[in-house]
Amino acid sequence: DRGVPRRDSFNGPLRILVPVSGTALARHGAELAVALAQAAHGMVTALYADSSSERLLQLPRRFGSALAPRSSASASVHEIVELGQAYGVEVHGRIRKASSARRALLHELDRVSPDLLVMAVSPRVGEQLFFGDLASQMLADAPCSVLLLCTEPPPKSATAPGG
């Protein structure tokens, strides 16, 4: 427990936080968040965790905006805001600079106090089902319910029988 009170009952609209990144996988997570918010008359915060370094910010100058668009964070967030508008769901877009996605998510969890964190994940190869470090950290640290969306089957482990 990180000192953030948990909401044991819903006293109002469902508040959902969903990380976005511009990938198809993250969009699936955002689509689920918007659908849940629509059904529960709730709202969504779409968070883009920007951990890019100054070096990456110089790419547009060196290679042109076609290879390194400056507004990929804004475009990712704007796409989800528009998705919410299409379904009548209030979506707040946030771009947070942070040294890691984990820090950005934890800060936003403290700021927004959502009822639910929706994360799209993909399974990793291994003996046990694993969805990555960030998903594991959020399961351990998030002060709210966490819903992991996986749209692909787990890969066959190299050590599994018949694998």
Side-chain angles (χ1 to χ4, degrees):
D1 184 18
R2 298 177 43 249
V4 178
R6 295 181 73 97
R7 286 178 35 149
D8 294 326
S9 63
F10 297 110
N11 296 326
L14 183 63
R15 294 183 316 256
I16 302 171
L17 175 63
V18 62
V20 297
S21 62
T23 65
L25 182 64
R27 180 172 169 96
H28 290 310
E31 289 169 348
L32 176 60
V34 167
L36 290 170
Q38 182 186 39
H41 306 289
M43 58 151 304
V44 173
T45 298
L47 173 69
Y48 187 100
D50 186 358
S51 59
S52 62
S53 67
E54 289 298 316
R55 201 167 158 208
L56 290 176
L57 295 175
Q58 294 173 3
L59 285 176
R61 252 185 278 134
R62 279 186 80 191
F63 300 108
S65 62
L67 295 177
R70 282 182 274 164
S71 62
S72 63
S74 313
S76 297
V77 169
H78 184 72
E79 177 186 30
I80 307 311
V81 170
E82 284 185 335
L83 177 68
Q85 288 173 347
Y87 288 95
V89 173
E90 182 180 352
V91 176
H92 299 276
R94 299 269 303 158
I95 300 170
R96 175 156 304 281
K97 290 286 258 176
S99 58
S100 70
R102 178 185 177 274
R103 283 183 190 242
L105 273 170
L106 289 174
H107 186 274
E108 202 64 18
L109 284 164
D110 285 342
R111 190 186 80 75
V112 175
S113 297
D115 304 301
L116 179 64
L117 171 63
V118 174
M119 293 179 66
V121 296
S122 54
R124 310 299 202 273
V125 175
E127 290 182 33
Q128 295 181 331
L129 185 58
F130 183 64
F131 294 115
D133 290 330
L134 184 58
S136 294
Q137 291 167 347
M138 289 302 107
L139 284 170
D141 297 339
C144 62
S145 297
V146 177
L147 188 148
L148 300 178
L149 171 67
C150 183
T151 61
E152 57 191 89
K156 293 186 186 225
S157 173
T159 59

